[in-house]
Amino acid sequence: MNKNIIIALDFESGDQTLQFLDRLDPTLCRVKVGKELFTAAGPQLVKDIVNRKFDVFLDLKFHDIPNTVYGAIAEACELGVWMVNIHCFGGEEMMKSARKSIVDSEATKKPLLIGVTLLTSFDDEGAKRVGIGNIKKHVNSLAKLAKESGLDGVVCSPKEVKSLKDSFGKDFIAVTPGIRSSDSKEDQKRTRSPNEALENGSDYLVIGRPI
């Protein structure tokens, strides 16, 4: 493992999570706290993980009116997380409000801000059913808006990374879930192997169930 790897802490309780973290070295990887674990254990667990010197990606995908997202991001800053995300589909005003919240924060450690483009559980057919005609164009359009709104990067599938890097530069962060072996996908649709994702230019690979 290395610092390109973000391990998804997909556990049902704080106790299970901390027992697992006892087996990890925070200098060798980062970790992700998502909706399930955050709902079960709350902000205190995030603080406990940060206190163990882990870089925490708070994966709550905020998507609401700008003022509400501003407040949510402010609270995330107080937790000391390394990275936080929002939904790009919330629009330019919401994304700029999230960025302003980080700028305004007096927290010592200000997180990276990234935007979710399209969940990796969508394939072409699923995207069409919600009005998205072309996944690549949709992801590229939202990534462009995210960059213009001051975000540090986006969450996208490994399949879209190369195109985004070509369009927006190597410094625009690409965080990629959907990391699977060729014969294992489960509910993920737009997947790639770790090597393929890195070759395409992914900066951080989110890996949960395979680990």
Side-chain angles (χ1 to χ4, degrees), residues 116 118-123 155-158 160 175-180 187-191:
V116 176
L118 185 68
L119 299 176
T120 51
S121 56
F122 277 98
D123 56 12
V155 180
C156 61
S157 90
E160 289 107 38
V175 177
T176 53
I179 304 300
R180 294 289 189 273
D187 56 345
Q188 304 280 11
K189 303 291 178 58
R190 301 187 337 276
T191 65

Side-chain angles (χ1 to χ4, degrees), residues 91-97 99-100 113 143-151:
E92 183 176 13
E93 186 179 352
M94 188 204 76
M95 287 193 279
K96 287 184 175 179
S97 183
R99 167 53 64 198
K100 186 176 187 302
L113 177 64
K144 182 175 184 291
L145 190 61
K147 186 174 178 64
E148 292 172 348
S149 300
L151 273 63

Side-chain angles (χ1 to χ4, degrees), residues 35-92:
K35 287 186 174 70
E36 180 180 2
L37 181 57
F38 190 83
T39 302
Q44 184 57 52
L45 177 63
V46 177
K47 293 179 182 179
D48 292 342
I49 298 172
V50 170
N51 288 337
R52 290 179 176 226
K53 308 301 181 184
F54 283 94
D55 288 336
V56 176
F57 169 26
L58 187 62
D59 177 30
L60 299 183
K61 303 180 181 71
F62 297 123
H63 183 181
D64 214 307
I65 62 173
N67 189 61
T68 297
V69 170
Y70 180 99
I73 294 292
E75 294 298 329
C77 289
E78 292 301 315
L79 294 177
V81 299
W82 160 70
M83 180 184 283
V84 64
N85 64 359
I86 59 179
H87 261 294
C88 292
F89 211 65
E92 183 176 13

Side-chain angles (χ1 to χ4, degrees), residues 170-189:
K170 292 182 179 180
D171 291 337
F172 194 59
I173 296 170
V175 177
T176 53
I179 304 300
R180 294 289 189 273
S181 64
S182 59
D183 60 348
S184 176
K185 292 187 178 182
E186 296 104 10
D187 56 345
Q188 304 280 11
K189 303 291 178 58

Side-chain angles (χ1 to χ4, degrees), residues 13-25:
S13 72
D15 288 342
Q16 288 178 317
T17 302
L18 295 178
Q19 288 172 12
F20 176 75
L21 291 177
D22 286 339
R23 301 160 58 191
L24 299 182
D25 184 341

